[in-house]
Amino acid sequence: MKTKRHGAVLGLIAAGALLLTACGSDENTPGAGSTSAAGDSAAVPVECGGKSNLSAEGSSAQKNAIDTFVQAYGQKCAGQNLAYNASGSGAGVKQFNGSQVDFAGSDSPLSESKGEIAAAAERCEGNPAWHLPLVFGPVALGYKLEGVADLTLSGEVAAKIFNGGIKKWNDPAIAALNSGASLPDKEIKVVYRSDESGTTDNFQLYLETASKGAWTQGAGKQFKGGVGEGKEKSAGVAQAAGSVDGAITYVELSFAQDNKLSIAKIDNGSGPVELNEETVGKAIDAAQIKGTGNDLVLDLKSIYGSSTAGAYPLLLATYEIVCSKGYDADTAKAIKAFLTVAATTGQDGLADAGYAPLPKAFQEKLLTAIKAIA
């Protein structure tokens, strides 16, 4: 299991350099982006101190990464700690906007239509919140189906599974993508996130973009497919899918692996694509930053509808949502110290946790934004 995980992670490390090309980074000189941040991260100064006990809440997809960051933070800044509640992206944003935590973790950006951007600005004393992407990872279509270890799905077929248009594993549409496979006459049991989740938002954006009109339910952090059984958090859906033959869910790669789920290939129009280092790298190559200045919002939607051969199209980035200004001096100092550690020495343990360490050039973009927090 760990070998598979490291394969995907290594692909993300290599592909992270390509992300900077797509973003137009001035710092992406030849060879610079291909190096992990871990190599010289210890040289980045960290000004410890300020608030002793920070609090944050949100994305369960990044919980294991945050645990790694907290450990590194405590080693670098003795007596300093962060308490992270992996309650889901939606809950994290609500707690941040309600001034109940110091920052939020979210798998999708703040929503203007829901008033989240305005609420965050109010919470930040009239200043905008920034999105700082610290954790990257692919989303797996994880399933458990006895006798079927190799399965291909398309965006259109996945949409029909998750909105109830396809109910049986031997449906002709699935069979057409899996010539020669012995598919059972078994009911498909959809498992979805019942709590508000950025993973759900990204997954539904993918379905909306890649399904050729089969997904009409829209996107958002609440699952809108109208079928299946809901479970809370990434661990909850992965555990539920892993316990029932015929189940399928959408979940971050590490959770799918931990629960021994099979992972479907995705046919984006150019043939079946396995989730691995090369295919994830090709997908991240298309990512662009659509935020301005130090607000590093990524435009991943362009990936979802791509028909690039060999590109795995289902990815997410997890943001730390922070106030650009508006913290008291002690809180700002501690947040900057924690995020600096997270973006530098904290990256060293991410591969073992199933995530992708930041490439050096993207690390520098994050450090610039972190330094500007006030």
Side-chain angles (χ1 to χ4, degrees):
M1 181 171 67
K2 186 152 287 188
T3 300
K4 291 181 180 178
R5 176 178 296 177
H6 284 182
V9 168
L10 289 173
L12 283 166
I13 297 170
L18 301 175
L19 172 63
L20 273 300
T21 302
C23 296
S25 169
D26 293 335
E27 297 170 329
N28 191 31
T29 54
S34 61
T35 303
S36 169
D40 50 44
S41 58
V44 177
V46 178
E47 187 177 350
C48 297
K51 188 176 181 179
S52 298
N53 293 294
L54 291 172
S55 63
E57 184 167 341
S59 167
S60 60
Q62 69 166 9
K63 182 185 183 305
N64 292 337
I66 292 290
D67 289 346
T68 301
F69 298 157
V70 169
Q71 184 177 10
Y73 181 47
Q75 291 172 346
K76 187 74 173 180
C77 298
Q80 302 290 113
N81 188 44
L82 167 77
Y84 185 76
N85 181 16
S87 60
S89 298
V93 168
K94 288 177 183 177
Q95 291 292 86
F96 173 72
N97 286 346
S99 299
Q100 299 303 303
V101 293
D102 297 313
F103 64 89
S106 179
D107 305 330
S108 57
L110 297 174
S111 168
E112 184 173 7
S113 64
K114 289 184 177 181
E116 291 174 345
I117 292 177
E122 182 177 353
R123 180 258 192 272
C124 297
E125 305 292 335
N127 302 290
W130 286 343
H131 301 77
L132 306 180
L134 278 177
V135 182
F136 290 88
V139 177
L141 289 175
Y143 69 96
K144 183 177 181 180
L145 189 59
E146 186 177 350
V148 181
D150 188 357
L151 180 73
T152 296
L153 300 174
S154 65
E156 181 178 3
V157 168
K160 291 179 180 179
I161 288 173
F162 282 90
N163 67 14
I166 293 176
K167 302 180 184 298
K168 293 286 190 76
W169 280 108
N170 64 347
D171 186 280
I174 300 178
L177 292 168
N178 296 274
S179 178
S182 179
L183 299 170
D185 182 14
K186 184 182 289 290
E187 181 182 354
I188 297 173
K189 299 173 182 177
V190 169
V191 183
Y192 63 87
R193 284 284 293 270
S194 59
D195 54 325
E196 286 196 351
S197 165
T199 308
T200 297
D201 191 19
N202 278 272
F203 179 59
Q204 293 184 136
L205 281 170
Y206 163 72
L207 295 179
E208 189 176 55
T209 305
S211 69
K212 301 179 181 178
W215 185 267
T216 60
Q217 288 74 23
K221 294 178 182 177
Q222 199 73 50
F223 180 70
K224 299 179 179 179
V227 296
E229 179 183 10
K231 294 292 182 181
E232 288 191 355
K233 305 179 184 178
S234 299
V237 294
Q239 289 167 3
S243 66
V244 179
D245 189 46
I248 187 170
T249 191
Y250 55 93
V251 71
E252 297 78 16
L253 174 62
S254 60
F255 289 93
Q257 292 176 327
D258 286 345
N259 288 275
K260 300 181 180 178
L261 296 176
S262 298
I263 298 173
K265 298 174 183 175
I266 295 180
D267 188 338
N268 64 3
S270 300
V273 180
E274 184 178 355
L275 199 173
N276 63 32
E277 55 203 74
E278 181 181 357
T279 61
V280 170
K282 286 187 177 181
I284 293 183
D285 188 26
Q288 297 180 353
I289 289 178
K290 62 181 181 181
T292 58
N294 290 319
D295 187 23
L296 305 179
V297 177
L298 297 166
D299 181 8
L300 293 178
K301 192 171 181 179
S302 61
I303 296 175
Y304 301 149
S306 172
S307 59
T308 300
Y312 184 85
L314 187 49
L315 308 172
L316 66 80
T318 299
Y319 301 98
E320 312 315 322
I321 298 176
V322 302
C323 291
S324 57
K325 296 180 181 179
Y327 291 117
D328 63 77
D330 282 347
T331 301
K333 184 174 185 178
I335 287 176
K336 291 167 75 170
F338 173 79
L339 293 175
T340 300
V341 171
T344 54
T345 55
Q347 297 289 308
D348 296 347
L350 285 191
D352 287 335
Y355 301 95
L358 297 168
K360 185 175 185 298
F362 196 67
Q363 178 204 50
E364 290 171 357
K365 276 185 167 294
L366 281 169
L367 290 173
T368 296
I370 292 164
K371 187 176 180 180
I373 294 171

